[in-house]
Amino acid sequence: MSAVKEPEIRCPRCAWRPKAESRWICTPECGTEWNTFWTGGVCPGCGHRWKETQCLSCHRKSPHKDWYHYPEGEAPADQERLAEPAAAG
């Protein structure tokens, strides 16, 4: 059995690829700046789960889960976890 490859992360609308230094900002009340793909769209400051992610290039919003592009037939069984709310802990 082979390991699942990491997904390619790119904007589903314009194909822009975020870099490690790319940063998104949470709500004005929170203000946390982070790379949303390091946390699957969850703000590390306040725990808000972003269902949509705005492209820093084309500025259009898309569902966060749509940014993850797996090689055909290699998507992990738990890929849908990206669309589900985090469990309260």
Side-chain angles (χ1 to χ4, degrees):
M1 175 181 234
S2 63
V4 175
K5 295 180 183 175
E6 290 293 316
E8 180 180 293
I9 298 173
R10 66 178 185 267
C11 175
R13 295 176 174 255
C14 75
W16 174 77
R17 295 179 185 179
K19 297 178 178 157
E21 62 270 11
S22 298
R23 296 290 182 267
W24 283 257
I25 301 172
C26 195
T27 62
E29 296 80 21
C30 173
T32 298
E33 292 185 31
W34 85 107
N35 186 314
T36 189
F37 299 102
W38 292 351
T39 61
V42 178
C43 174
C46 69
H48 179 80
R49 177 175 292 273
W50 291 91
K51 292 181 181 178
E52 291 188 313
T53 296
Q54 183 173 8
C55 178
L56 300 181
S57 180
C58 73
H59 306 289
R60 292 182 286 178
K61 294 180 182 178
S62 300
H64 186 83
K65 66 181 179 64
D66 289 355
W67 284 70
Y68 298 85
H69 301 273
Y70 290 87
E72 191 166 327
E74 295 207 22
D78 67 344
Q79 181 180 6
E80 285 303 310
R81 72 178 165 74
L82 295 171
E84 298 171 3

